Amino acid sequence: MKQYKSIIPKPFSPLVNPRVRKVIEESGRSSGKSTTNETVAIGLMMESRKNNVWYCRAEKGDVRISVFNSFIATLSAMGVEQDRKS
């Protein structure tokens, strides 16, 4: 499999620390939560065929199409969109 590298901003480094089991992120618009979490999830998926990742998040108690579209945009930005199946 291809190796995909991404830069994880320091405030989000617990996401990639295997000893950390729970991460509470600071809320707020444009804080980087969505893109960083998507990047980590995609990186894990691409790391191994055994890494089945279910990425889901709600916005104001409702799952919205904008969350899916954001994930697809991150796939594209990472250059792995062609490697996915819908």
Side-chain angles (χ1 to χ4, degrees), residues 4 7 12 43 55 72-73:
Y4 294 92
I7 297 170
F12 298 99
Y55 178 78
I72 298 301

Side-chain angles (χ1 to χ4, degrees), residues 8 12 15 23 25 32-44 53 55 57 71 74:
I8 305 301
F12 298 99
L15 290 170
V23 177
E25 297 172 341
K33 292 184 309 294
S34 296
T35 303
T36 302
N37 282 281
E38 292 162 1
T39 300
V40 170
I42 293 164
L44 290 170
V53 175
Y55 178 78
R57 66 177 266 267
F71 194 81
T74 302

Side-chain angles (χ1 to χ4, degrees), residues 1-80:
M1 295 197 86
K2 288 185 203 175
Q3 194 71 13
Y4 294 92
K5 289 241 177 218
S6 59
I7 297 170
I8 305 301
K10 189 172 175 100
F12 298 99
S13 61
L15 290 170
V16 293
N17 181 338
R19 295 186 314 224
V20 174
R21 295 289 176 223
K22 185 183 282 187
V23 177
I24 300 172
E25 297 172 341
E26 191 171 323
S27 65
R29 298 185 67 74
S30 301
S31 63
K33 292 184 309 294
S34 296
T35 303
T36 302
N37 282 281
E38 292 162 1
T39 300
V40 170
I42 293 164
L44 290 170
M45 287 188 296
M46 301 307 293
E47 187 177 275
S48 170
R49 296 179 77 85
K50 295 179 182 179
N51 288 346
N52 295 313
V53 175
W54 177 285
Y55 178 78
C56 181
R57 66 177 266 267
E59 213 170 73
K60 295 184 182 175
D62 187 22
V63 177
R64 298 177 186 207
I65 192 69
S66 62
V67 173
F68 176 78
N69 289 338
S70 176
F71 194 81
I72 298 301
T74 302
L75 277 170
S76 181
M78 291 178 71
V80 298

